[in-house]
Amino acid sequence: MKQNNPALELAGRILLASLFLLAGLTKLGGYAGTEAYMASVGVPGALLPLVIALEIGGAASIIVGFKTRLVAVLLAGFSVAAAALFHNNFADQIQTILFLKNVSIAGGFLILAANGPGAWSLDGRRQA
């Protein structure tokens, strides 16, 4: 079996998680606006702290490779839920693209969950 490239695995984790890290930090800065947007589609604003924690904490966990498989599954589910709740107007081409972007990201997380984070990760160090 061919050995994976740990540098590419790390780069992939960073790139995949960067969207969520930035999104969570942006929600902190625009809390009221995000809460109002969530409410406009029927999602209780009370869930916003959990969303922010999942985005920031989940991204950090993916980047360092800690509890990677579990967090990857959680972020995959979050991505699909966000797609269904916020990007479901398929008459709007932009919303369709955003829906597919979220579904594609979920696919990346599922691949990460299936294959693990690689050697350059906290999970990888614990297995060594």
Side-chain angles (χ1 to χ4, degrees), residues 28-78:
L28 283 174
Y31 194 94
T34 303
E35 190 173 38
Y37 177 62
M38 288 172 63
S40 76
V41 297
V43 177
L47 293 176
L48 185 53
L50 294 174
V51 169
I52 292 169
L54 178 60
E55 288 182 334
I56 295 173
S61 180
I62 293 294
I63 289 169
V64 301
F66 178 71
K67 301 285 183 183
T68 309
R69 292 177 192 266
L70 171 64
V71 174
V73 169
L74 292 174
L75 286 171
F78 175 79

Side-chain angles (χ1 to χ4, degrees), residues 13-124:
R13 290 196 327 268
I14 291 169
L15 292 172
L16 192 55
S18 64
L19 173 69
F20 292 87
L21 182 60
L22 182 59
L25 294 172
T26 301
K27 285 175 180 69
L28 283 174
Y31 194 94
T34 303
E35 190 173 38
Y37 177 62
M38 288 172 63
S40 76
V41 297
V43 177
L47 293 176
L48 185 53
L50 294 174
V51 169
I52 292 169
L54 178 60
E55 288 182 334
I56 295 173
S61 180
I62 293 294
I63 289 169
V64 301
F66 178 71
K67 301 285 183 183
T68 309
R69 292 177 192 266
L70 171 64
V71 174
V73 169
L74 292 174
L75 286 171
F78 175 79
S79 296
V80 170
L85 290 168
F86 296 101
H87 305 301
N88 56 20
N89 179 5
F90 298 119
D92 180 345
Q93 184 179 14
I94 299 297
Q95 290 302 312
T96 302
I97 291 169
L98 291 172
F99 178 89
L100 292 171
K101 172 202 56 107
N102 279 38
V103 170
S104 297
I105 291 167
F109 278 124
L110 292 177
I111 291 170
L112 182 58
N115 293 303
W120 291 0
S121 67
L122 293 178
D123 291 341

